Amino acid sequence: MSSWLPRFHLPRVTLRRRSIEAEQIVETPSAQLQEFLVLLGSALLAVGTAATDIQQTLTRVAIALGSRKASLIVFPTLIFVGMPGESQTRFEVAMPTGGEVRFDRAARIYSIVDLALAGKITAADGSAAVREVIATKPRFNRVVRVIGHGVAAAGVALVLLGAETTSMLYALVLGMLVGAAKLLVRPGTYAAILLPVATAFLLALLVFALGKTVVIGEPLQVLIPPLVTLLPGALLTTGIQELAAGDMVAGASRLVSGIAQLGFLAIGILAALTITGVPASAALLSTQPPLGAFQPWVGVLLFSVGIFFYYCGPRRSLYFLTFVLLVAYGGQVVGALLMGNVFSGFFGAFALTVVAYLVQSVPGAPPAVVCFLPAFWLLVPGATGLIRLTQSATGVDFDASSVPNLLGSIVSIALGVLVGTALFRQIYTIAPARWKLRLV
């Protein structure tokens, strides 16, 4: 009887895993490969890429262009490249980390990486292309960028502090002033080094003075948003990420630098508070929008538009940037509902990382690093950390667990990035080649 039963033959599915190692395209490396790797690594450092990721990217580029034995050492502001057979090791000092990151420049640098990995560009042409990108003028003029900085500040006021319309307008104006100051200061000068603390002091002096005349109801709603692009949220998170990945020198130096920068900003605010004589209980009181409110989502949209114009986003990148920021903020909201504010950053960073890496493979989308920087300002360690630090220093809304909670938030975000990166790499190895996913 069994012979009369129909027989079904299920298709045999074989899951093939792709290697994440680069394929060697060029048989022998050219004499200009070392110079190209130095210039490319310096450019990647300047756009804010983590040292661990840069080392992996340069290793893959070196393999693709014919050298499997290149020696690479990457620090936050310095890169060493050694090549077999070369009598000297080349090194390069990266552009100052305080300089402005431009998204259009970052996108073009990563397009050069893609060409090199595909063997479609020689080392000599790659060096020329990197120099050309560095010399390229910003996509938008200064007026547009200054207005964009103000719009981003207004968006942050909605997202983090639930500001009202009047406070948003103040944040818009002050954000434009801060944006203008940043564009006028040359990177690498003493003025650039002192800019964060001087800006925080002068801005706080103005806001607290107006607060005494009851022109500004909640000063922090007006003070913190214009400073958001000066906050070291990305620096702190990247430092923890590098430490977790075993890159001790780069991670420790970034972490110390970020903590120092956060402290400088807080000192500038506290100095202005002392001079004006405004009671700390009134000057540093802050309220956060309740979970489920729609205003923060509008703030994310404003923030995305402002960041796009100020940092000169590439064409069509606004849509992708907005989508990734909404996903990151949504992940943080879900995390806060499930596990509280301390661990909410893990969910936001995890969602951000996976989506940013997937989205960057879409034609016209920006590289993932373009989405990381603004997202880290929206997540907990940025403005929230500065608020808690200044409040704790003056005894306003003092909580003995505020500092440990801040550190926990930074670590949770870094872990979210690491777990998200690991998951994407697994997706990359099993995804069909026609998806054209990018590892960098």
Side-chain angles (χ1 to χ4, degrees):
M1 293 181 61
S2 61
S3 61
W4 292 93
L5 296 177
R7 296 183 179 182
F8 297 96
H9 297 280
L10 296 176
R12 189 173 183 179
V13 179
T14 303
L15 192 63
R16 296 183 178 180
R17 301 181 68 89
R18 286 191 297 170
S19 173
I20 62 174
E21 297 295 330
E23 179 184 354
Q24 184 170 343
I25 308 297
V26 179
E27 290 188 9
T28 57
S30 68
Q32 293 80 21
L33 179 57
Q34 187 180 28
E35 179 183 8
F36 175 48
L37 293 176
V38 170
L39 289 174
L40 183 61
S42 177
L44 291 172
L45 282 171
V47 300
T49 309
T52 307
D53 295 336
I54 293 175
Q55 188 154 352
Q56 294 174 352
T57 299
L58 293 183
T59 299
R60 299 181 74 237
V61 170
I63 292 174
L65 295 184
S67 178
R68 290 186 172 274
K69 296 183 179 180
S71 300
L72 302 164
I73 301 176
V74 181
F75 297 124
T77 57
L78 190 66
I79 177 171
F80 294 88
V81 177
M83 300 288 291
E86 295 287 344
S87 59
Q88 294 181 343
T89 298
R90 295 183 66 98
F91 70 93
E92 178 70 24
V93 179
M95 286 181 287
T97 55
E100 288 291 300
V101 175
R102 278 179 25 213
F103 293 165
D104 56 345
R105 178 183 289 170
R108 293 185 60 186
I109 290 296
Y110 274 91
S111 67
I112 295 174
V113 173
D114 291 337
L115 292 175
L117 291 175
K120 296 180 179 179
I121 191 172
T122 65
D125 292 339
S127 298
V130 171
R131 290 192 180 96
E132 180 183 352
V133 171
I134 294 175
T136 302
K137 294 182 179 180
R139 183 178 169 213
F140 300 119
N141 60 46
R142 291 190 175 187
V143 174
V144 173
R145 298 181 68 186
V146 166
I147 295 174
H149 197 278
V151 173
V156 170
L158 263 182
V159 175
L160 298 177
L161 297 168
E164 298 179 353
T165 305
T166 304
S167 297
M168 283 182 58
L169 292 176
Y170 286 129
L172 172 67
V173 174
L174 294 179
M176 291 172 61
L177 292 177
V178 174
K182 292 176 65 178
L183 293 179
L184 290 175
V185 172
R186 288 188 305 165
T189 62
Y190 281 106
I193 297 173
L194 295 174
L195 180 65
V197 63
T199 303
F201 172 73
L202 294 175
L203 222 61
L205 204 63
L206 176 61
V207 171
F208 292 153
L210 293 176
K212 291 179 67 175
T213 61
V214 201
V215 174
I216 298 177
E218 291 191 18
L220 279 184
Q221 288 186 350
V222 179
L223 174 60
I224 298 299
L227 299 174
V228 67
T229 58
L230 297 174
L231 295 173
L235 198 62
L236 292 170
T237 306
T238 303
I240 292 291
Q241 179 186 350
E242 289 172 339
L243 285 175
D247 205 338
M248 300 299 179
V249 176
S253 59
R254 285 189 201 270
L255 193 60
V256 172
S257 177
I259 292 174
Q261 188 172 334
L262 195 63
F264 290 152
L265 289 169
I267 288 175
I269 294 174
L270 294 175
L273 183 66
T274 303
I275 293 174
T276 56
V278 178
S281 58
L284 301 179
L285 183 64
S286 67
T287 58
Q288 293 184 345
L291 289 175
F294 75 92
Q295 292 91 340
W297 298 96
V298 177
V300 173
L301 296 178
L302 289 175
F303 177 73
S304 177
V305 172
I307 289 297
F308 170 79
F309 283 110
Y310 181 74
Y311 287 101
C312 302
R315 296 182 184 277
R316 295 188 295 174
S317 64
L318 176 60
Y319 313 109
F320 302 101
L321 175 62
T322 302
F323 174 69
V324 173
L325 290 180
L326 288 172
V327 169
Y329 183 74
Q332 182 171 255
V333 171
V334 172
L337 289 172
L338 295 177
M339 300 187 66
N341 291 328
V342 176
F343 301 102
S344 64
F346 173 85
F347 294 88
F350 173 77
L352 157 72
T353 304
V354 175
V355 172
Y357 277 122
L358 290 174
V359 163
Q360 74 172 354
S361 302
V362 179
V369 68
V370 166
C371 301
F372 282 163
L373 181 60
F376 285 143
W377 286 323
L378 283 184
L379 299 179
V380 171
T384 305
L386 180 59
I387 292 172
R388 296 302 180 202
L389 187 62
T390 53
Q391 287 176 336
S392 298
T394 57
V396 177
D397 195 19
F398 177 76
D399 184 359
S401 63
S402 59
V403 174
N405 285 346
L406 174 60
L407 294 176
S409 298
I410 297 171
V411 173
S412 68
I413 290 178
L415 287 176
V417 173
L418 289 173
V419 174
T421 302
L423 176 60
F424 173 76
R425 286 177 175 267
Q426 293 301 314
I427 295 174
Y428 176 86
T429 59
I430 63 176
R434 66 177 180 272
W435 288 13
K436 297 181 180 180
L437 297 183
R438 295 169 52 189
L439 273 178
V440 296

